């Protein structure tokens, strides 16, 4: 298994990411503009291996593990 590090801003639909120790496939991704706190955010709608849906909200400059 190859694991790479990337920033959230470079993710796209269909990518497999590792969050909370599990592998998730990105089903939908939305980016927000810079808000009051000075950071833009990303909303990831994901699907786990056992077809469980989960939503994550991350900063776009955060590093994440990509499989």
């Amino acid at each position: 298994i190859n694991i790479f590090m990337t920033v959230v801003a470079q993710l796209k639909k269909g990518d497999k990411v590792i969050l909370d120790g599990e592998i998730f496939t990105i089903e939908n991704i939305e980016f927000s503009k810079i808000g009051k706190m000075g950071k833009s955010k990303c909303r990831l709608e994901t699907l786990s291996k056992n077809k469980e849906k989960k939503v994550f909200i991350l900063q776009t400059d955060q590093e994440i593990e990509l499989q």
Side-chain angles (χ1 to χ4, degrees), residues 5-12 15 29 31 60:
M5 296 297 288
T6 187
V7 285
V8 174
Q10 295 177 344
L11 295 175
K12 58 188 181 297
D15 282 345
I29 187 166
F31 294 98
T60 55

Side-chain angles (χ1 to χ4, degrees), residues 27-52:
E27 293 289 305
N28 192 19
I29 187 166
E30 295 176 15
F31 294 98
S32 67
K33 295 181 180 179
I34 296 173
K36 288 191 281 187
M37 302 310 248
K39 299 278 186 175
S40 57
K41 296 198 174 47
C42 176
R43 182 176 187 269
L44 298 175
E45 292 179 19
T46 62
L47 200 61
S48 68
K49 282 188 173 182
N50 57 355
K51 305 299 180 200
E52 190 177 320

